Amino acid sequence: MKNEDDNYRKDNQHTERQAVALGFDGQHTPTVTAKGTGLVAEEIIALAEEAGVHIHKNPHLSDFLQRLELGEEIPKELYFLIAELIAFVYMLDGKFPEQWNNMHQKIVEEV
């Protein structure tokens, strides 16, 4: 996939850097909380880095999300993809579903 992204960037070098921030409260569909290009994108990225927010770089996804309005929910077609990204970030932060802790304990007991 890296090659696809590299080729995409080469084909679209005239495109300014862009960023989209999604908010997720754990209950409702993720929404666009910030978006921008150029200097605004740089500021969004800098604020995310300062806050320790994980950044996922995908120009195709970013292009699509740029079309959404602030406060707009992500479309159903992206639910699975965004859910995977959120789950991955939770794991990076050491957050796991309660069932995983129980499963881990059962494995330790069996070993």
Side-chain angles (χ1 to χ4, degrees):
M1 183 154 176
K2 183 166 175 39
N3 289 338
E4 284 181 22
D5 288 344
D6 289 344
N7 290 338
Y8 181 82
R9 284 190 194 99
K10 287 176 188 172
D11 293 342
N12 294 288
Q13 285 182 352
H14 64 280
T15 304
E16 290 183 288
R17 189 161 193 194
Q18 56 187 24
V20 178
L22 297 177
F24 179 62
D25 64 9
Q27 300 292 320
H28 301 93
T29 304
T31 59
V32 175
T33 56
K35 68 176 189 167
T37 59
L39 293 175
V40 173
E42 297 294 338
E43 186 66 20
I44 291 168
I45 293 166
L47 288 170
E49 288 173 341
E50 274 181 38
V53 173
H54 294 280
I55 298 172
H56 178 74
K57 297 177 183 176
N58 183 315
H60 302 290
L61 180 58
S62 184
D63 278 346
F64 186 83
L65 293 173
Q66 284 288 331
R67 298 175 190 166
L68 301 177
E69 297 296 325
L70 290 176
E72 189 174 350
E73 294 181 347
I74 62 165
K76 292 178 183 178
E77 294 80 12
L78 292 181
Y79 283 6
F80 188 71
L81 173 66
I82 300 299
E84 282 183 329
L85 292 173
I86 291 170
F88 182 69
V89 168
Y90 276 17
M91 287 191 297
L92 289 175
D93 288 341
K95 299 175 186 174
F96 300 95
E98 183 61 36
Q99 299 88 341
W100 287 21
N101 290 334
N102 294 337
M103 187 182 333
H104 180 266
Q105 184 60 37
K106 289 178 185 176
I107 292 170
V108 169
E109 290 171 2
E110 289 180 17
V111 172

Short mmCIF file of all heavy atoms in Angstrom, two decimals, residues 6-67:
data_model
loop_
_atom_site.label_atom_id
_atom_site.label_comp_id
_atom_site.label_asym_id
_atom_site.label_seq_id
_atom_site.Cartn_x
_atom_site.Cartn_y
_atom_site.Cartn_z
N ASP A 6 2.65 6.53 -2.32
CA ASP A 6 3.75 7.29 -2.90
C ASP A 6 3.40 7.74 -4.31
O ASP A 6 3.64 8.88 -4.69
CB ASP A 6 5.04 6.45 -2.94
CG ASP A 6 5.62 6.26 -1.55
OD1 ASP A 6 5.23 7.01 -0.62
OD2 ASP A 6 6.46 5.36 -1.38
N ASN A 7 2.82 6.83 -5.11
CA ASN A 7 2.41 7.18 -6.47
C ASN A 7 1.32 8.24 -6.45
O ASN A 7 1.31 9.16 -7.24
CB ASN A 7 1.92 5.94 -7.23
CG ASN A 7 3.05 4.98 -7.55
OD1 ASN A 7 4.21 5.37 -7.59
ND2 ASN A 7 2.70 3.74 -7.77
N TYR A 8 0.40 8.11 -5.51
CA TYR A 8 -0.68 9.08 -5.39
C TYR A 8 -0.11 10.46 -5.12
O TYR A 8 -0.50 11.44 -5.72
CB TYR A 8 -1.63 8.65 -4.27
CG TYR A 8 -2.80 9.58 -4.08
CD1 TYR A 8 -3.92 9.48 -4.90
CD2 TYR A 8 -2.78 10.58 -3.11
CE1 TYR A 8 -4.99 10.34 -4.74
CE2 TYR A 8 -3.84 11.44 -2.95
CZ TYR A 8 -4.94 11.31 -3.76
OH TYR A 8 -5.99 12.17 -3.61
N ARG A 9 0.86 10.53 -4.19
CA ARG A 9 1.46 11.82 -3.86
C ARG A 9 2.19 12.42 -5.05
O ARG A 9 2.14 13.61 -5.29
CB ARG A 9 2.41 11.66 -2.67
CG ARG A 9 1.68 11.53 -1.37
CD ARG A 9 2.63 11.62 -0.19
NE ARG A 9 1.97 11.17 1.00
CZ ARG A 9 2.09 9.96 1.51
NH1 ARG A 9 2.87 9.08 0.96
NH2 ARG A 9 1.44 9.64 2.59
N LYS A 10 2.90 11.57 -5.80
CA LYS A 10 3.63 12.06 -6.96
C LYS A 10 2.67 12.62 -8.01
O LYS A 10 2.94 13.64 -8.62
CB LYS A 10 4.47 10.94 -7.58
CG LYS A 10 5.67 10.58 -6.75
CD LYS A 10 6.41 9.40 -7.36
CE LYS A 10 7.50 8.92 -6.41
NZ LYS A 10 8.10 7.68 -6.85
N ASP A 11 1.54 11.94 -8.20
CA ASP A 11 0.56 12.38 -9.18
C ASP A 11 -0.16 13.65 -8.73
O ASP A 11 -0.72 14.37 -9.54
CB ASP A 11 -0.49 11.29 -9.43
CG ASP A 11 0.10 10.08 -10.13
OD1 ASP A 11 1.20 10.21 -10.72
OD2 ASP A 11 -0.52 9.01 -10.08
N ASN A 12 -0.17 13.91 -7.43
CA ASN A 12 -0.94 15.04 -6.89
C ASN A 12 -0.05 15.99 -6.09
O ASN A 12 -0.46 16.52 -5.06
CB ASN A 12 -2.07 14.52 -6.01
CG ASN A 12 -3.09 13.77 -6.82
OD1 ASN A 12 -3.84 14.37 -7.57
ND2 ASN A 12 -3.10 12.45 -6.69
N GLN A 13 1.18 16.22 -6.55
CA GLN A 13 2.11 17.06 -5.81
C GLN A 13 1.63 18.50 -5.70
O GLN A 13 2.00 19.21 -4.78
CB GLN A 13 3.50 17.01 -6.44
CG GLN A 13 4.21 15.72 -6.14
CD GLN A 13 5.61 15.69 -6.73
OE1 GLN A 13 5.98 16.59 -7.48
NE2 GLN A 13 6.36 14.68 -6.39
N HIS A 14 0.79 18.92 -6.61
CA HIS A 14 0.28 20.28 -6.55
C HIS A 14 -0.73 20.46 -5.42
O HIS A 14 -1.05 21.57 -5.04
CB HIS A 14 -0.37 20.65 -7.89
CG HIS A 14 -1.58 19.81 -8.20
ND1 HIS A 14 -1.47 18.54 -8.72
CD2 HIS A 14 -2.89 20.04 -8.04
CE1 HIS A 14 -2.70 18.04 -8.88
NE2 HIS A 14 -3.57 18.93 -8.48
N THR A 15 -1.21 19.37 -4.86
CA THR A 15 -2.20 19.41 -3.80
C THR A 15 -1.53 19.82 -2.50
O THR A 15 -0.49 19.30 -2.13
CB THR A 15 -2.87 18.04 -3.63
OG1 THR A 15 -3.43 17.65 -4.88
CG2 THR A 15 -3.96 18.10 -2.60
N GLU A 16 -2.15 20.77 -1.79
CA GLU A 16 -1.64 21.19 -0.49
C GLU A 16 -1.81 20.08 0.53
O GLU A 16 -2.66 19.21 0.38
CB GLU A 16 -2.42 22.41 0.01
CG GLU A 16 -2.17 23.68 -0.75
CD GLU A 16 -2.95 24.82 -0.13
OE1 GLU A 16 -4.18 24.83 -0.27
OE2 GLU A 16 -2.30 25.66 0.51
N ARG A 17 -1.02 20.17 1.59
CA ARG A 17 -1.18 19.22 2.69
C ARG A 17 -2.57 19.43 3.28
O ARG A 17 -3.06 20.55 3.37
CB ARG A 17 -0.12 19.49 3.74
CG ARG A 17 -0.07 18.43 4.80
CD ARG A 17 1.22 18.45 5.52
NE ARG A 17 1.35 17.25 6.31
CZ ARG A 17 2.23 17.10 7.25
NH1 ARG A 17 3.09 18.05 7.51
NH2 ARG A 17 2.29 15.98 7.94
N GLN A 18 -3.19 18.33 3.68
CA GLN A 18 -4.54 18.44 4.24
C GLN A 18 -4.65 17.58 5.49
O GLN A 18 -3.87 16.64 5.68
CB GLN A 18 -5.59 18.03 3.21
CG GLN A 18 -5.41 16.65 2.64
CD GLN A 18 -6.39 16.38 1.50
OE1 GLN A 18 -6.89 17.29 0.87
NE2 GLN A 18 -6.66 15.12 1.24
N ALA A 19 -5.61 17.92 6.33
CA ALA A 19 -5.84 17.17 7.56
C ALA A 19 -7.32 17.18 7.88
O ALA A 19 -8.03 18.15 7.59
CB ALA A 19 -5.06 17.79 8.71
N VAL A 20 -7.76 16.08 8.47
CA VAL A 20 -9.15 15.96 8.93
C VAL A 20 -9.09 15.33 10.32
O VAL A 20 -8.41 14.33 10.52
CB VAL A 20 -9.99 15.06 8.00
CG1 VAL A 20 -11.41 14.92 8.53
CG2 VAL A 20 -10.00 15.60 6.59
N ALA A 21 -9.79 15.93 11.27
CA ALA A 21 -9.87 15.37 12.62
C ALA A 21 -11.27 14.80 12.81
O ALA A 21 -12.27 15.43 12.44
CB ALA A 21 -9.61 16.46 13.66
N LEU A 22 -11.32 13.62 13.39
CA LEU A 22 -12.60 12.98 13.70
C LEU A 22 -12.78 12.90 15.20
O LEU A 22 -11.84 12.63 15.93
CB LEU A 22 -12.64 11.56 13.12
CG LEU A 22 -12.55 11.43 11.61
CD1 LEU A 22 -12.54 9.96 11.21
CD2 LEU A 22 -13.67 12.16 10.91
N GLY A 23 -14.01 13.14 15.63
CA GLY A 23 -14.35 13.00 17.03
C GLY A 23 -15.19 11.75 17.22
O GLY A 23 -16.03 11.42 16.37
N PHE A 24 -14.94 11.03 18.31
CA PHE A 24 -15.71 9.81 18.59
C PHE A 24 -15.92 9.73 20.09
O PHE A 24 -14.97 9.72 20.87
CB PHE A 24 -14.95 8.58 18.09
CG PHE A 24 -15.65 7.28 18.36
CD1 PHE A 24 -16.89 7.01 17.81
CD2 PHE A 24 -15.06 6.33 19.15
CE1 PHE A 24 -17.54 5.81 18.05
CE2 PHE A 24 -15.69 5.11 19.40
CZ PHE A 24 -16.93 4.85 18.85
N ASP A 25 -17.20 9.68 20.50
CA ASP A 25 -17.52 9.65 21.93
C ASP A 25 -17.76 8.24 22.45
O ASP A 25 -18.09 8.05 23.61
CB ASP A 25 -18.72 10.54 22.23
CG ASP A 25 -20.00 10.07 21.55
OD1 ASP A 25 -20.03 8.96 20.96
OD2 ASP A 25 -21.00 10.82 21.60
N GLY A 26 -17.60 7.24 21.59
CA GLY A 26 -17.82 5.86 22.00
C GLY A 26 -19.26 5.42 21.89
O GLY A 26 -19.57 4.24 22.06
N GLN A 27 -20.15 6.34 21.61
CA GLN A 27 -21.58 6.03 21.54
C GLN A 27 -22.17 6.27 20.16
O GLN A 27 -22.99 5.51 19.69
CB GLN A 27 -22.35 6.89 22.56
CG GLN A 27 -21.94 6.68 23.99
CD GLN A 27 -22.32 5.30 24.49
OE1 GLN A 27 -23.39 4.79 24.18
NE2 GLN A 27 -21.43 4.69 25.24
N HIS A 28 -21.76 7.35 19.53
CA HIS A 28 -22.35 7.76 18.26
C HIS A 28 -21.34 7.62 17.12
O HIS A 28 -20.16 7.39 17.35
CB HIS A 28 -22.84 9.21 18.35
CG HIS A 28 -23.85 9.41 19.44
ND1 HIS A 28 -23.49 9.80 20.71
CD2 HIS A 28 -25.19 9.24 19.46
CE1 HIS A 28 -24.58 9.87 21.46
NE2 HIS A 28 -25.62 9.54 20.72
N THR A 29 -21.82 7.81 15.93
CA THR A 29 -20.96 7.75 14.75
C THR A 29 -19.90 8.84 14.81
O THR A 29 -20.20 9.97 15.19
CB THR A 29 -21.82 7.94 13.48
OG1 THR A 29 -22.86 6.95 13.47
CG2 THR A 29 -20.99 7.79 12.21
N PRO A 30 -18.64 8.52 14.45
CA PRO A 30 -17.60 9.56 14.43
C PRO A 30 -18.01 10.72 13.51
O PRO A 30 -18.65 10.51 12.48
CB PRO A 30 -16.38 8.82 13.87
CG PRO A 30 -16.61 7.39 14.21
CD PRO A 30 -18.10 7.21 14.11
N THR A 31 -17.62 11.92 13.91
CA THR A 31 -17.94 13.12 13.14
C THR A 31 -16.67 13.90 12.82
O THR A 31 -15.66 13.77 13.51
CB THR A 31 -18.91 14.04 13.91
OG1 THR A 31 -18.29 14.42 15.14
CG2 THR A 31 -20.23 13.37 14.17
N VAL A 32 -16.76 14.73 11.81
CA VAL A 32 -15.65 15.60 11.44
C VAL A 32 -15.64 16.77 12.42
O VAL A 32 -16.62 17.50 12.53
CB VAL A 32 -15.81 16.12 9.98
CG1 VAL A 32 -14.71 17.12 9.65
CG2 VAL A 32 -15.80 14.96 9.00
N THR A 33 -14.53 16.92 13.16
CA THR A 33 -14.44 17.99 14.14
C THR A 33 -13.54 19.13 13.68
O THR A 33 -13.60 20.23 14.23
CB THR A 33 -13.94 17.46 15.49
OG1 THR A 33 -12.68 16.81 15.29
CG2 THR A 33 -14.93 16.47 16.08
N ALA A 34 -12.68 18.86 12.71
CA ALA A 34 -11.81 19.90 12.14
C ALA A 34 -11.32 19.40 10.80
O ALA A 34 -11.18 18.20 10.59
CB ALA A 34 -10.63 20.20 13.06
N LYS A 35 -11.08 20.33 9.89
CA LYS A 35 -10.52 19.97 8.59
C LYS A 35 -9.91 21.21 7.97
O LYS A 35 -10.28 22.34 8.30
CB LYS A 35 -11.57 19.36 7.66
CG LYS A 35 -12.64 20.32 7.19
CD LYS A 35 -13.57 19.65 6.21
CE LYS A 35 -14.49 20.69 5.58
NZ LYS A 35 -15.19 20.15 4.44
N GLY A 36 -8.95 20.98 7.10
CA GLY A 36 -8.34 22.11 6.44
C GLY A 36 -7.19 21.69 5.55
O GLY A 36 -6.76 20.54 5.55
N THR A 37 -6.70 22.66 4.79
CA THR A 37 -5.55 22.45 3.92
C THR A 37 -4.49 23.51 4.22
O THR A 37 -4.78 24.52 4.89
CB THR A 37 -5.95 22.54 2.43
OG1 THR A 37 -6.51 23.84 2.18
CG2 THR A 37 -6.95 21.47 2.05
N GLY A 38 -3.29 23.28 3.75
CA GLY A 38 -2.22 24.26 3.91
C GLY A 38 -1.90 24.54 5.36
O GLY A 38 -1.69 23.62 6.16
N LEU A 39 -1.88 25.83 5.72
CA LEU A 39 -1.52 26.23 7.09
C LEU A 39 -2.51 25.72 8.12
O LEU A 39 -2.12 25.36 9.24
CB LEU A 39 -1.40 27.75 7.18
CG LEU A 39 -0.24 28.37 6.41
CD1 LEU A 39 -0.31 29.90 6.48
CD2 LEU A 39 1.09 27.87 6.93
N VAL A 40 -3.79 25.65 7.77
CA VAL A 40 -4.80 25.13 8.69
C VAL A 40 -4.51 23.65 8.96
O VAL A 40 -4.56 23.19 10.11
CB VAL A 40 -6.22 25.33 8.15
CG1 VAL A 40 -7.25 24.64 9.02
CG2 VAL A 40 -6.54 26.82 8.02
N ALA A 41 -4.17 22.89 7.93
CA ALA A 41 -3.83 21.48 8.10
C ALA A 41 -2.61 21.33 9.00
O ALA A 41 -2.59 20.46 9.89
CB ALA A 41 -3.58 20.83 6.74
N GLU A 42 -1.61 22.16 8.78
CA GLU A 42 -0.40 22.11 9.61
C GLU A 42 -0.74 22.35 11.08
O GLU A 42 -0.21 21.70 11.97
CB GLU A 42 0.63 23.14 9.13
CG GLU A 42 1.14 22.93 7.72
CD GLU A 42 1.97 21.67 7.55
OE1 GLU A 42 2.52 21.15 8.56
OE2 GLU A 42 2.07 21.19 6.40
N GLU A 43 -1.65 23.29 11.33
CA GLU A 43 -2.05 23.61 12.70
C GLU A 43 -2.83 22.45 13.32
O GLU A 43 -2.61 22.11 14.50
CB GLU A 43 -2.89 24.89 12.73
CG GLU A 43 -3.23 25.37 14.12
CD GLU A 43 -2.02 25.82 14.94
OE1 GLU A 43 -0.97 26.13 14.36
OE2 GLU A 43 -2.14 25.84 16.17
N ILE A 44 -3.73 21.84 12.57
CA ILE A 44 -4.48 20.68 13.07
C ILE A 44 -3.51 19.56 13.44
O ILE A 44 -3.63 18.96 14.52
CB ILE A 44 -5.50 20.19 12.01
CG1 ILE A 44 -6.61 21.23 11.83
CG2 ILE A 44 -6.09 18.83 12.39
CD1 ILE A 44 -7.50 20.98 10.62
N ILE A 45 -2.55 19.30 12.58
CA ILE A 45 -1.57 18.24 12.83
C ILE A 45 -0.72 18.57 14.05
O ILE A 45 -0.48 17.71 14.91
CB ILE A 45 -0.71 18.00 11.57
CG1 ILE A 45 -1.58 17.42 10.45
CG2 ILE A 45 0.47 17.09 11.88
CD1 ILE A 45 -0.93 17.46 9.08
N ALA A 46 -0.28 19.82 14.15
CA ALA A 46 0.55 20.22 15.30
C ALA A 46 -0.22 20.08 16.61
O ALA A 46 0.32 19.58 17.61
CB ALA A 46 1.02 21.66 15.11
N LEU A 47 -1.48 20.49 16.62
CA LEU A 47 -2.30 20.37 17.83
C LEU A 47 -2.53 18.90 18.20
O LEU A 47 -2.49 18.53 19.38
CB LEU A 47 -3.64 21.08 17.64
CG LEU A 47 -3.58 22.60 17.62
CD1 LEU A 47 -4.93 23.19 17.19
CD2 LEU A 47 -3.16 23.15 18.97
N ALA A 48 -2.74 18.07 17.20
CA ALA A 48 -2.93 16.64 17.45
C ALA A 48 -1.66 16.03 18.04
O ALA A 48 -1.72 15.26 19.01
CB ALA A 48 -3.32 15.93 16.16
N GLU A 49 -0.52 16.39 17.47
CA GLU A 49 0.75 15.86 17.99
C GLU A 49 0.99 16.31 19.42
O GLU A 49 1.40 15.51 20.27
CB GLU A 49 1.90 16.29 17.08
CG GLU A 49 1.91 15.56 15.75
CD GLU A 49 2.95 16.08 14.76
OE1 GLU A 49 3.43 17.23 14.94
OE2 GLU A 49 3.26 15.34 13.81
N GLU A 50 0.72 17.58 19.70
CA GLU A 50 0.86 18.11 21.06
C GLU A 50 -0.01 17.36 22.05
O GLU A 50 0.39 17.12 23.19
CB GLU A 50 0.46 19.59 21.11
CG GLU A 50 1.54 20.56 20.77
CD GLU A 50 1.04 21.99 20.87
OE1 GLU A 50 0.25 22.31 21.78
OE2 GLU A 50 1.45 22.80 20.00
N ALA A 51 -1.21 17.01 21.63
CA ALA A 51 -2.16 16.34 22.50
C ALA A 51 -1.93 14.83 22.57
O ALA A 51 -2.64 14.13 23.30
CB ALA A 51 -3.59 16.63 22.03
N GLY A 52 -0.97 14.33 21.80
CA GLY A 52 -0.70 12.89 21.81
C GLY A 52 -1.71 12.08 21.01
O GLY A 52 -1.85 10.88 21.23
N VAL A 53 -2.40 12.75 20.11
CA VAL A 53 -3.39 12.07 19.27
C VAL A 53 -2.65 11.32 18.16
O VAL A 53 -1.74 11.86 17.54
CB VAL A 53 -4.38 13.08 18.65
CG1 VAL A 53 -5.30 12.42 17.65
CG2 VAL A 53 -5.18 13.77 19.74
N HIS A 54 -3.04 10.07 17.95
CA HIS A 54 -2.43 9.29 16.89
C HIS A 54 -2.87 9.84 15.53
O HIS A 54 -4.03 10.19 15.34
CB HIS A 54 -2.82 7.81 17.00
CG HIS A 54 -2.27 7.18 18.23
ND1 HIS A 54 -0.98 6.73 18.33
CD2 HIS A 54 -2.83 6.94 19.43
CE1 HIS A 54 -0.77 6.24 19.52
NE2 HIS A 54 -1.88 6.36 20.22
N ILE A 55 -1.93 9.88 14.59
CA ILE A 55 -2.20 10.42 13.26
C ILE A 55 -2.08 9.31 12.25
O ILE A 55 -1.07 8.61 12.19
CB ILE A 55 -1.23 11.57 12.93
CG1 ILE A 55 -1.44 12.71 13.93
CG2 ILE A 55 -1.43 12.04 11.50
CD1 ILE A 55 -0.41 13.81 13.83
N HIS A 56 -3.12 9.13 11.45
CA HIS A 56 -3.13 8.13 10.38
C HIS A 56 -3.00 8.87 9.06
O HIS A 56 -3.81 9.73 8.75
CB HIS A 56 -4.43 7.32 10.42
CG HIS A 56 -4.54 6.31 9.33
ND1 HIS A 56 -3.81 5.15 9.34
CD2 HIS A 56 -5.26 6.29 8.20
CE1 HIS A 56 -4.10 4.45 8.26
NE2 HIS A 56 -4.98 5.12 7.55
N LYS A 57 -1.97 8.53 8.30
CA LYS A 57 -1.72 9.22 7.04
C LYS A 57 -2.23 8.35 5.89
O LYS A 57 -1.71 7.26 5.64
CB LYS A 57 -0.22 9.48 6.87
CG LYS A 57 0.32 10.41 7.93
CD LYS A 57 1.81 10.59 7.78
CE LYS A 57 2.34 11.46 8.91
NZ LYS A 57 3.79 11.59 8.88
N ASN A 58 -3.25 8.85 5.23
CA ASN A 58 -3.81 8.16 4.08
C ASN A 58 -4.43 9.22 3.17
O ASN A 58 -5.52 9.72 3.45
CB ASN A 58 -4.86 7.14 4.52
CG ASN A 58 -5.43 6.35 3.36
OD1 ASN A 58 -5.76 6.90 2.32
ND2 ASN A 58 -5.55 5.05 3.56
N PRO A 59 -3.75 9.58 2.09
CA PRO A 59 -4.26 10.66 1.24
C PRO A 59 -5.62 10.36 0.61
O PRO A 59 -6.42 11.27 0.43
CB PRO A 59 -3.18 10.82 0.18
CG PRO A 59 -2.36 9.58 0.23
CD PRO A 59 -2.48 9.03 1.61
N HIS A 60 -5.90 9.10 0.30
CA HIS A 60 -7.19 8.76 -0.30
C HIS A 60 -8.33 9.00 0.69
O HIS A 60 -9.35 9.61 0.35
CB HIS A 60 -7.21 7.31 -0.77
CG HIS A 60 -6.13 6.98 -1.76
ND1 HIS A 60 -6.14 7.46 -3.05
CD2 HIS A 60 -5.02 6.23 -1.64
CE1 HIS A 60 -5.07 7.02 -3.69
NE2 HIS A 60 -4.36 6.27 -2.85
N LEU A 61 -8.13 8.53 1.92
CA LEU A 61 -9.15 8.72 2.96
C LEU A 61 -9.30 10.21 3.28
O LEU A 61 -10.42 10.71 3.40
CB LEU A 61 -8.76 7.93 4.21
CG LEU A 61 -9.71 8.03 5.39
CD1 LEU A 61 -11.12 7.56 5.01
CD2 LEU A 61 -9.17 7.22 6.57
N SER A 62 -8.20 10.91 3.37
CA SER A 62 -8.25 12.34 3.66
C SER A 62 -9.01 13.11 2.57
O SER A 62 -9.82 13.98 2.87
CB SER A 62 -6.83 12.90 3.81
OG SER A 62 -6.88 14.25 4.18
N ASP A 63 -8.74 12.77 1.32
CA ASP A 63 -9.47 13.41 0.21
C ASP A 63 -10.97 13.23 0.37
O ASP A 63 -11.75 14.16 0.20
CB ASP A 63 -9.04 12.83 -1.14
CG ASP A 63 -7.77 13.43 -1.68
OD1 ASP A 63 -7.33 14.47 -1.18
OD2 ASP A 63 -7.22 12.84 -2.63
N PHE A 64 -11.36 12.01 0.70
CA PHE A 64 -12.79 11.73 0.84
C PHE A 64 -13.38 12.49 2.02
O PHE A 64 -14.44 13.12 1.91
CB PHE A 64 -13.03 10.22 1.01
CG PHE A 64 -14.47 9.86 1.01
CD1 PHE A 64 -15.16 9.69 -0.18
CD2 PHE A 64 -15.16 9.71 2.20
CE1 PHE A 64 -16.50 9.37 -0.18
CE2 PHE A 64 -16.50 9.40 2.21
CZ PHE A 64 -17.18 9.23 1.02
N LEU A 65 -12.69 12.46 3.17
CA LEU A 65 -13.21 13.12 4.37
C LEU A 65 -13.25 14.63 4.22
O LEU A 65 -14.07 15.30 4.85
CB LEU A 65 -12.38 12.71 5.59
CG LEU A 65 -12.50 11.24 6.01
CD1 LEU A 65 -11.51 10.93 7.12
CD2 LEU A 65 -13.92 10.91 6.44
N GLN A 66 -12.38 15.20 3.38
CA GLN A 66 -12.39 16.65 3.15
C GLN A 66 -13.72 17.11 2.56
O GLN A 66 -14.09 18.28 2.70
CB GLN A 66 -11.26 17.06 2.20
CG GLN A 66 -9.89 17.09 2.82
CD GLN A 66 -9.69 18.26 3.77
OE1 GLN A 66 -10.29 19.32 3.65
NE2 GLN A 66 -8.84 18.04 4.75
N ARG A 67 -14.43 16.23 1.91
CA ARG A 67 -15.70 16.58 1.27
C ARG A 67 -16.84 16.71 2.27
O ARG A 67 -17.90 17.25 1.94
CB ARG A 67 -16.06 15.52 0.22
CG ARG A 67 -15.04 15.44 -0.88
CD ARG A 67 -15.34 14.34 -1.85
NE ARG A 67 -14.21 14.16 -2.75
CZ ARG A 67 -14.04 13.14 -3.53
NH1 ARG A 67 -14.94 12.17 -3.56
NH2 ARG A 67 -12.99 13.05 -4.30
#
